Amino acid sequence: MERSVYTEYDIVYVAQTVSVRVSEESLREVDRLADRLKTDRFEALRRLIERGLREARIDDALDRLRKGKVSMGRAAEETGVTLYEMLELVRRHQIPYGYGPRDLERDLRELGRRG
């Protein structure tokens, strides 16, 4: 978990170290990815974790949209994607959602107030 430390002029983020056991094959795959990205193992792992977390947030939001527990605007905000990207995700995942022009206007107003 990252913590922010406030100084007089800057915000400094302090990262924490976490140990994880992975299989030899997974580690070899991470190393191959690091080579292709021209980076080290640790940066490749950070990128993979961030990407996985983003995908997990999107999956969770899509599931809650499917169940009618969250609005399109709220789902977009919580996942860090634009409203238009969320609409595309809903379409791509074939989630039935009665989303019309009125809903879009409401969500844009809601996002504007929070922005």
Side-chain angles (χ1 to χ4, degrees):
M1 171 191 275
E2 276 190 357
R3 298 182 316 253
S4 59
V5 177
Y6 297 92
T7 65
E8 186 176 345
Y9 301 103
D10 299 310
I11 298 175
V12 179
Y13 290 94
V14 181
Q16 292 185 352
T17 301
V18 177
S19 296
V20 176
R21 294 184 192 276
V22 296
S23 69
E24 287 293 323
E25 179 54 36
S26 293
L27 196 54
R28 281 192 295 273
E29 187 66 27
V30 169
D31 289 338
R32 284 191 292 269
L33 177 62
D35 286 343
R36 286 192 300 274
L37 296 174
K38 307 261 189 272
T39 189
D40 61 26
R41 174 187 288 174
F42 307 106
E43 178 61 24
L45 283 166
R46 275 192 291 277
R47 290 182 189 185
L48 287 167
I49 290 168
E50 288 301 318
R51 185 174 184 165
L53 288 170
R54 180 180 188 277
E55 293 299 317
R57 284 191 304 270
I58 289 171
D59 289 347
D60 179 56
L62 291 174
D63 185 53
R64 291 186 300 135
L65 272 169
R66 192 177 286 114
K67 294 174 180 174
K69 294 183 176 184
V70 68
S71 72
M72 188 74 69
R74 173 70 71 177
E77 182 180 351
E78 290 177 358
T79 57
V81 301
T82 68
L83 188 56
Y84 302 105
E85 289 170 315
M86 184 55 67
L87 286 167
E88 175 60 24
L89 286 164
V90 165
R91 184 194 65 74
R92 197 175 328 141
H93 289 270
Q94 300 177 344
I95 296 173
Y97 194 82
Y99 195 80
R102 223 179 284 173
D103 298 308
L104 176 61
E105 289 174 15
R106 182 197 68 232
D107 283 341
L108 287 172
R109 279 193 309 276
E110 184 180 323
L111 287 171
R113 278 185 292 224
R114 293 182 187 161

